[in-house]
Amino acid sequence: MLEFKGVRKSFGPLQILKGVDVEIGKGDVVVILGPSGSGKTTLLRCLNFLERADAGTARLGSLEVDLNRATKKEVHAVRQKTAFVFQNYNLFNNKTALENVMEGLITGRKQPKETARKKAAAALDKVGLSDKYDAYPVQLSGGQQQRVGIARALALDPEVILFDEPTSALDPELVGEVLGVMRQIAADGTTMLVVTHEMQFAKDVASQVVFMDDGVIVEAGTPGQIFDRPAEERTKRFLRRVLPDEYNYSI
């Protein structure tokens, strides 16, 4: 359904992505793990043209594009099939929750205002914010703001949603509510590519776990393979560091 090959990206002399391949089937939840600086966020941004890759190709169904040479029309076509959930919400402070979700439908998808309103309301209902249509971001907790961001993505009815560390900016007590929403939309069959540090989410929800380091994919497999039977020493060191109570002696 969705395939990226040979994605490369440098910033000046610093090579961030060194030829990354990712394949996502319909309804899959692919979780990307790795240390800070491994290229995870840059990969997502290249996939949605928030950064222009130096090389690589993308195939979404029948659509195939060169990530470096894609035309404006091709970029638009890719963005019609994808949606992005940011670390820091990226909401308009002068718009209500409902208006924030409506915005992409009206400006990006050219939908009539009333149609956009109905879709936005349904998306907010789905993330548990039916009582917050008229609330402005300043009136919402961080977890609620991120749920608005997820609703904004859902309302676009994309083929895949890209999540860039969606809980990293949240206070610890608010993480659970966002992960709960993500678990629900995964259970509904939404195709997701998720960069996260939430190991339990990866164990419970992912159909595939990808471990990245230094701009390459070190290892990929099912949660059972990656967490219980990692093949690469670099993966084992990462797990020992992030989950020391579980992996000090077992790997």
Side-chain angles (χ1 to χ4, degrees):
M1 173 210 163
L2 177 63
E3 185 177 23
F4 299 94
K5 286 189 174 181
V7 184
R8 297 180 179 273
K9 177 65 179 178
S10 296
F11 294 102
L14 186 62
Q15 194 174 10
I16 305 299
L17 299 174
K18 303 175 181 178
V20 176
D21 300 341
V22 179
E23 187 172 346
I24 309 167
K26 184 174 177 60
D28 281 353
V29 178
V30 177
V31 173
I32 303 178
L33 306 177
S36 297
S38 58
K40 307 182 302 296
T41 288
T42 300
L43 176 63
L44 283 199
R45 292 179 65 84
C46 287
L47 301 187
N48 203 43
F49 291 100
L50 296 171
E51 299 281 357
R52 179 72 70 155
D54 299 327
T57 60
R59 179 176 61 82
L60 294 87
S62 61
L63 174 66
E64 294 190 27
V65 299
D66 184 308
L67 292 174
N68 178 254
R69 300 178 180 179
T71 64
K72 288 183 178 180
K73 183 178 180 180
E74 288 173 327
V75 170
H76 179 72
V78 169
R79 289 179 173 168
Q80 290 285 303
K81 294 175 177 288
T82 61
F84 204 101
V85 176
F86 297 87
Q87 293 182 32
N88 295 311
Y89 327 137
N90 280 26
L91 302 181
F92 294 104
N93 290 326
N94 63 337
K95 294 182 181 293
T96 66
L98 190 68
E99 290 167 342
N100 264 283
V101 179
M102 290 173 61
E103 183 68 20
L105 294 167
I106 294 171
T107 60
R109 301 293 171 90
K110 309 301 181 185
Q111 295 188 0
K113 191 171 183 178
E114 191 53 40
T115 300
R117 183 181 298 277
K118 290 178 180 178
K119 287 187 175 181
L124 286 169
D125 291 349
K126 193 167 187 176
V127 301
L129 293 176
S130 56
D131 59 338
K132 300 295 183 182
Y133 292 174
D134 298 323
Y136 288 89
V138 71
Q139 298 171 310
L140 300 172
S141 70
Q144 290 170 333
Q145 290 184 62
Q146 189 58 289
R147 283 191 278 157
V148 174
I150 294 172
R152 178 176 55 193
L154 287 171
L156 298 173
D157 194 25
E159 293 186 12
V160 61
I161 302 180
L162 310 175
F163 291 83
D164 181 20
E165 298 190 26
T167 61
S168 65
L170 299 177
D171 293 334
E173 65 268 24
L174 301 177
V175 169
E177 67 182 72
V178 172
L179 291 179
V181 168
M182 292 174 65
R183 289 171 188 269
Q184 181 56 55
I185 63 176
D188 291 342
T190 303
T191 307
M192 300 160 64
L193 180 59
V194 184
V195 168
T196 186
H197 294 291
E198 300 293 338
M199 299 296 133
Q200 196 61 51
F201 176 85
K203 289 181 180 182
D204 295 345
V205 180
S207 49
Q208 182 182 30
V209 176
V210 174
F211 174 63
M212 283 186 67
D213 189 32
D214 195 28
V216 299
I217 292 177
V218 176
E219 189 169 359
T222 66
Q225 291 170 325
I226 298 302
F227 287 104
D228 299 335
R229 302 177 301 280
E232 300 296 327
E233 181 58 34
R234 181 64 187 93
T235 311
K236 296 175 184 179
R237 292 202 310 270
F238 175 77
L239 292 173
R240 289 191 190 106
R241 183 173 63 81
V242 299
L243 296 170
D245 292 341
E246 295 183 41
Y247 293 102
N248 269 342
Y249 304 105
S250 61
I251 294 177

